[in-house]
Amino acid sequence: MGAVPRISVSVSVVTPSAVNRIRLLLEDKPEYIGLKVGVKTRGCNGLTYTLDYTKEKLKSDEEVLQDGVRVFIEKKAQLTLLGTEMDFVETKLNSEFIFNNPNIKGMCGCGESFSV
């Protein structure tokens, strides 16, 4: 039996707006190599996204390299984020990273948590 081919199960697209924001966030933090995306149990629908700076890539992390910016997907979030677009949106009232996730089956009323 040969080796099983590895299938990429990561965020499929990091938009130019998200790339620019990540680059801006990291420009004065040379100790960090990118941002790490995960999910955790929270809210009325079960899951919420996490986003943190990271100093290293763990062996189980999936890496997305987009225009020189590195985003790492935690192992337990990889299937949840399959085919997801990561974007950054600014309005007059707030600015935030958003995830356009085709796997979501339901969201809470405030948009803080989701289920797959």
Side-chain angles (χ1 to χ4, degrees):
M1 245 187 200
V4 177
R6 184 161 182 197
I7 299 171
S8 178
V9 293
S10 63
V11 172
S12 57
V13 175
V14 180
T15 67
S17 178
V19 166
N20 290 337
R21 183 60 178 180
I22 294 167
R23 190 173 287 127
L24 182 65
L25 290 170
L26 293 172
E27 74 180 0
D28 63 344
K29 296 173 182 64
E31 68 274 22
Y32 296 107
I33 62 170
L35 293 183
K36 186 172 288 194
V37 179
V39 293
K40 68 178 180 178
T41 303
R42 180 176 168 197
C44 55
N45 250 305
L47 297 171
T48 189
Y49 299 106
T50 62
L51 192 58
D52 295 299
Y53 296 104
T54 187
K55 293 181 179 180
E56 64 181 341
K57 177 190 183 294
L58 300 179
K59 189 174 186 176
S60 60
D61 290 342
E62 185 72 30
E63 181 177 355
V64 177
L65 180 61
Q66 184 87 29
D67 298 324
V69 168
R70 298 168 76 187
V71 176
F72 302 94
I73 313 300
E74 292 179 351
K75 182 177 181 174
K76 72 177 189 173
Q78 290 172 7
L79 288 177
T80 304
L81 294 171
L82 179 64
T84 297
E85 176 189 73
M86 181 180 179
D87 196 8
F88 182 75
V89 178
E90 288 185 274
T91 67
K92 288 183 179 184
L93 298 176
N94 68 0
S95 59
E96 64 185 335
F97 285 101
I98 60 168
F99 297 87
N100 297 311
N101 188 335
N103 306 302
I104 291 178
K105 303 290 187 235
M107 289 187 75
C108 67
C110 68
E112 183 177 309
S113 65
F114 64 94
S115 60
V116 290

